């Protein structure tokens, strides 16, 4: 057989395979999303996300410590308040759940990097990611007739509240803020508000390319944030579109986003690769609750090998080009890296 090029030559030896690897993963790229909840003594398992818990502030340290021990030092906070209202005031309250968690984590874990999800959906009684048009508490005194129907999320009024939320997170100790609401113009609004308060160096990681996705199902159970009516398709992106994702990413970079996120991960790695090409900022990929739940369920049924699937999905996100990877499997992945199962 006359064959000069034999690709298998580079695959015949484990050491050689490792030498020629194109993708290297490192625990410092991992971010763990954590759910914090009002109350004390709470560590309750999320039914649709086995192995994931909601923690009260007094108990979240258990998880933060085990993350640190595994080599994961970045977390993203999601808050579960005990009261919700039309304008999501718990999102920007000084003693809101995330604000309390931040103060405590800063005190007890000064070596950790604290990121916050900035959104209204966990705090609004209707479960949408912003205030609704015609909402009495925000439109009082407004003589203009509503342009949009009742129930439509009011973009520009929401911006003020998102900016307030981001500033309150920074005040409480957030190292970075991550708006996930998909309102237009929110990165600029948040940047201006942070700068005005002196938080010039608090970066914004924008969920710029966030699709309206059924993969968020388990999260909405975890956070009690499913919309009470309708869906999120008037603000999150249509998953048939890819050029629109580029438009969103470029807009956010222009508005001052320091990091661009693509979400979900697994079904959207094409977008990670594309956005990497057209921007010069780091790209984050968020492996969301539904991805976690599918792997857990498949493994529990014995249909797939959990450890191998976790390794393969994580590496595929990095191979697509992400620099940061948000995942509920952060601790496991850090361990697999250390054990040389991926690297
Ligand atoms: C808040 C938010 C959501 C997620 C992250 N931030 C839910 C949503 O948009 O409905 C989803 C995370 C996950 O599914 O793991 N808007």
């Amino acid at each position: 057989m006359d064959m000069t090029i034999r690709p298998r030559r580079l695959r015949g030896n484990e050491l050689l395979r490792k030498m020629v690897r194109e993708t290297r993963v490192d625990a410092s790229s991992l971010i763990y999303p954590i759910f914090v909840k009002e109350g004390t003594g709470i560590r309750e398992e999320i039914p649709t996300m086995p192995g994931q818990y909601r923690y009260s502030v007094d108990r979240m340290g258990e998880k933060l410590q085990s993350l640190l021990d595994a080599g994961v030092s970045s977390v993203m906070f999601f808050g579960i308040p005990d009261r919700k209202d039309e304008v999501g005031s718990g999102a920007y309250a000084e003693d809101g759940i995330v604000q309390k968690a931040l103060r405590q984590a800063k005190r007890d874990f000064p070596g950790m990097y604290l990121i916050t999800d900035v959104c209204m959906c966990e705090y609004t009684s209707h479960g949408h990611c912003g205030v609704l048009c015609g909402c009495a508490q925000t439109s009082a005194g407004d003589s203009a007739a509503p342009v949009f129907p009742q129930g439509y999320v009011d973009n520009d009024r929401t911006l003020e509240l998102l900016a307030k939320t981001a500033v309150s997170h920074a005040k409480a100790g957030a190292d970075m803020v991550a708006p996930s609401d998909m309102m237009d113009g929110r990165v600029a609004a948040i940047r201006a508000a942070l700068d005005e308060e002196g938080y010039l160096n608090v970066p914004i990681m924008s969920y710029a390319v966030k699709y309206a996705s059924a993969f968020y199902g388990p999260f909405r159970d975890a956070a009690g944030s499913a919309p009470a009516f309708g869906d999120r398709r008037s603000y999150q992106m249509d998953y048939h579109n890819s050029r629109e994702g580029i438009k969103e990413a470029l807009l956010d970079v222009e508005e001052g986003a320091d990091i661009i996120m693509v979400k979900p991960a697994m079904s959207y790695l094409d977008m990670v690769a594309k956005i990497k090409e057209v921007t010069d900022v780091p790209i984050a990929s968020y492996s969301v609750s539904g991805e976690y739940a599918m792997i857990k369920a498949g493994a529990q049924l014995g249909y797939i090998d959990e450890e191998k699937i976790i390794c393969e999905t994580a590496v595929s996100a990095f191979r697509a080009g992400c620099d940061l990877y948000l995942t509920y499997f952060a601790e496991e992945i850090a361990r697999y890296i250390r054990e040389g199962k991926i690297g």
Side-chain angles (χ1 to χ4, degrees), residues 35 49 78 117 119 121-122 129 180-181 207 210 215-220 225 232 236 263 286-290 328:
F35 297 97
M49 300 176 74
F78 289 97
D117 180 84
C119 194
C121 67
E122 297 106 298
C129 299
S180 67
D181 51 281
Y207 288 68
K210 178 173 176 179
F215 282 103
Y216 309 148
F219 172 95
R220 292 178 189 170
S225 63
R232 304 210 199 288
Q236 299 180 349
K263 181 182 169 203
Y286 191 153
S287 180
V288 300
S289 55
Y328 300 96

Side-chain angles (χ1 to χ4, degrees), residues 51 73 131 176 198 205 210 326 337:
S73 28
V131 288
M176 182 190 284
M205 172 162 65
K210 178 173 176 179
L326 294 103
I337 294 172

Side-chain angles (χ1 to χ4, degrees), residues 272-293:
V272 171
K274 281 186 182 156
I275 285 159
K276 186 104 185 192
E277 294 266 302
V278 298
T279 61
D280 55 8
V281 298
I283 310 295
S285 165
Y286 191 153
S287 180
V288 300
S289 55
E291 300 177 52
Y292 177 88

Side-chain angles (χ1 to χ4, degrees), residues 27 43 67 90 128-129 149 152 163 199 213 223 251 275 294 308 321 325:
R43 176 183 180 267
L67 285 163
H128 279 286
C129 299
Y152 189 80
Y199 298 105
S213 169
L251 258 176
I275 285 159
M294 289 197 306
K308 288 191 173 139
Y325 188 47

